[in-house]
Amino acid sequence: MAASDSRSGARMIGEMQLEMARMRAAKVASGPALFGRVVSCDGGLIEVAGFPLPVGSLGSIENDAGAECLAEVIGFRAGHSLMMLLGDAMLLRPQAAVRALGGPGEVRLGEALLGRAVDGLGAPIDGGPRLVLPHTRSLVGRRENALERASVKQPFDCGVRAINAVATMGIGQRLGIMAGSGVGKSVLVDTIAGHAVADVTVVALIGERAREVSDFVNRHMSGARRGRLIVVAVPADHAPNLRLRAAQYATAIAEFFREMGKNVLLILDSLTRVAHAARELALVLGEPGAARGYPPSALAAITRLVERAGNSLTSGGAVTGIYTVLADGDDAQDPVVDTARAILDGHIMLSRELAQRGHYPAIDVPSSLSRVMDDLVSPEVSEAARQLRALISAREENRDLVLMGAYRSGADPVLDTALALSPAIDAFLSQSRGAAEPLGQSLAGLCELMARADA
């Protein structure tokens, strides 16, 4: 009993010391406090008078219960600031006081984030102590000159054999994983997060189910990789501006470690939920919908977010971005899918048909590509990958003929080879959930498989 009390007391003292260190590091504003007053509330949109702060600033609004609600400035009209709550509008009243918080458009960062799970405001959600974050950075990042970005020259090992071999990634590349709902995006992302080779891994779970967030944290925050992992999570039931802010915050964290020369993997699941959040904000502000209801600013938001990843010529660090994209109704021409495919350095298409056959990962190899692969692997590997694509394409295009018995052997040599190697191809492209295969073994296995095709 005495030993237990002693451990409990030591833990309390440790937490108090961390809190005192955080208070000492905090910057105290020297100017007068800025206050405003709520003049109208329409759903989550609040109009505030006497609060002349720039877009992106945070404010605290006192409600009738004496508690405080956080809100963010998203625009202004006729001299009034337009704010959106980061929570619910419960017990909010007219003329409620609004107090400015923090630096406009800034977020706090630090190495203490390693091994922690936080929300879109940087507050811990894992039950751990408060974070001491001494550094500040812009939430939206700094737009770099195009020539400040180094080329993608080194291969990146994501741990998934099919991607390593057929759509080889590079350090600093931006890759999209695109599919409809329930095809395996989250499971594939889970495998990459657990086995990819990187100094720091930042995972942003935006607009996902709360259960998935909890399961992900429980799986990945208990092993040896915990000290290199940061999770930023905002479930689907939170305000749209908080979801958008979480994606920007995760990207700012990745940029912070890139400035330190680290090789950072940024996984954002999903880019579509970010676009949905940006669409909600734009429609609230009165912007008309254009492409299938998406205002132009919503699609521009994901472009700005993706462009922040990449290699840094100054620091030598890199942010390798993996972005999942939900194709609504399995529509490959969805505006978000089309925009992401145009701006990313490659894409992995998942097939519902393959998923229904029990093939995991359900990667549609002929439809997937990496735009930097030829610069990362030898000509022999590139040729082997091209041959494998051709064999798979021939097999799938003639699948119905073969199943009906209408194909006669010898009519098409490429199809004959594809059918002969079909079991070996499926075995090579399949991978057990949670398992991983290094990049070198993946490329060697590809060359060995295609050597059998030439024999």
Side-chain angles (χ1 to χ4, degrees):
M1 190 67 174
S4 176
D5 291 343
S6 176
R7 288 194 297 270
S8 178
R11 185 165 56 250
M12 291 179 62
I13 291 173
E15 291 180 359
M16 290 177 62
Q17 289 175 337
L18 285 173
E19 184 65 17
M20 291 175 66
R22 185 192 68 81
M23 294 173 65
R24 285 195 298 268
K27 295 181 180 180
V28 180
S30 57
L34 184 61
F35 284 88
R37 293 287 177 181
V38 174
V39 295
S40 72
C41 177
D42 182 8
L45 185 65
I46 297 173
E47 193 169 340
V48 180
F51 201 71
L53 287 183
V55 173
S57 303
L58 293 181
S60 175
I61 306 175
E62 184 179 346
N63 63 17
D64 258 6
E68 291 188 333
C69 310
L70 289 180
E72 181 183 9
V73 179
I74 62 172
F76 45 86
R77 182 185 299 131
H80 289 176
S81 295
L82 302 179
M83 305 185 73
M84 177 162 278
L85 286 172
L86 297 172
D88 297 322
M90 297 296 291
L91 301 177
L92 198 63
R93 56 180 173 80
Q95 298 301 312
V98 184
R99 177 171 56 88
L101 294 177
E106 290 185 343
V107 290
R108 303 201 68 84
L109 303 168
E111 295 187 59
L113 286 165
L114 292 169
R116 302 298 302 274
V118 298
D119 63 13
L121 298 171
I125 60 174
D126 54 6
R130 295 185 66 177
L131 294 166
V132 180
L133 305 175
H135 306 284
T136 58
R137 293 291 188 279
S138 170
L139 180 66
V140 297
R142 179 181 67 86
R143 181 169 292 161
E144 295 183 335
N145 187 305
L147 298 182
E148 294 180 8
R149 292 293 177 87
S151 301
V152 178
K153 297 180 179 179
Q154 299 179 19
F156 179 84
D157 186 358
C158 69
V160 178
R161 185 191 304 118
I163 298 177
N164 279 342
V166 185
T168 309
M169 294 180 60
I171 295 176
Q173 182 181 0
R174 291 84 52 88
L175 186 80
I177 299 177
M178 304 175 180
S181 58
V183 183
K185 296 186 304 299
S186 296
V187 178
L188 184 57
V189 161
D190 192 85
T191 301
I192 295 174
H195 299 286
V197 179
D199 298 326
V200 177
T201 300
V202 182
V203 181
L205 302 176
I206 312 299
E208 298 299 317
R209 293 179 287 272
R211 176 193 58 79
E212 289 187 346
V213 173
S214 176
D215 291 347
F216 185 93
V217 171
N218 291 335
R219 279 194 303 273
H220 294 278
M221 288 297 193
S222 57
R225 294 173 62 92
R226 173 175 180 171
R228 292 179 288 169
L229 181 67
I230 303 168
V231 176
V232 181
V234 175
D237 60 340
H238 286 62
N241 50 335
L242 187 58
R243 281 179 267 144
L244 179 59
R245 189 181 184 89
Q248 295 171 333
Y249 183 44
T251 307
I253 294 173
E255 290 173 329
F256 169 75
F257 285 100
R258 178 176 63 187
E259 291 175 5
M260 300 171 62
K262 302 285 188 182
N263 174 17
V264 184
L265 170 62
L266 171 63
I267 300 176
L268 200 155
D269 185 17
S270 73
L271 200 63
T272 304
R273 307 298 187 196
V274 175
H276 289 175
R279 177 176 61 183
E280 290 182 51
L281 291 177
L283 293 177
V284 163
L285 291 173
E287 188 176 347
R292 297 195 190 178
Y294 286 96
S297 64
L299 300 178
I302 64 175
T303 301
R304 288 194 299 269
L305 198 64
V306 167
E307 274 298 304
R308 293 169 64 179
N311 292 327
S312 172
L313 198 61
T314 305
S315 67
V319 174
T320 304
I322 295 179
Y323 304 88
T324 67
V325 183
L326 175 64
D328 290 333
D330 291 346
D331 183 7
Q333 305 306 317
D334 179 83
V336 178
V337 176
D338 198 44
T339 300
R341 190 165 46 214
I343 194 66
L344 292 168
D345 302 321
H347 54 268
I348 303 298
M349 301 296 296
L350 302 187
S351 166
R352 188 174 298 277
E353 185 178 351
L354 287 175
Q356 291 171 346
R357 294 183 207 166
H359 185 286
Y360 175 81
I363 296 176
D364 185 351
V365 171
S367 300
S368 304
L369 64 89
S370 170
R371 292 189 172 102
V372 299
M373 179 176 178
D374 289 342
D375 298 328
L376 304 173
V377 298
S378 65
E380 293 77 15
V381 172
S382 293
E383 178 61 21
R386 188 197 63 78
Q387 291 179 1
L388 180 58
R389 287 176 185 274
L391 293 177
I392 296 173
S393 180
R395 183 186 67 174
E396 294 303 318
E397 287 176 0
N398 296 278
R399 179 178 176 81
D400 291 340
L401 287 176
V402 173
L403 291 177
M404 289 187 300
Y407 174 72
R408 183 175 300 174
S409 179
D412 185 347
V414 176
L415 181 56
D416 291 339
T417 303
L419 294 176
L421 290 178
S422 186
I425 290 173
D426 289 339
F428 177 75
L429 296 177
S430 299
Q431 188 169 322
S432 300
R433 296 192 178 192
E437 182 165 320
L439 176 64
Q441 292 183 20
S442 302
L443 298 179
L446 172 66
C447 294
E448 180 181 346
L449 177 63
M450 289 300 98
R452 293 170 58 184
D454 295 334

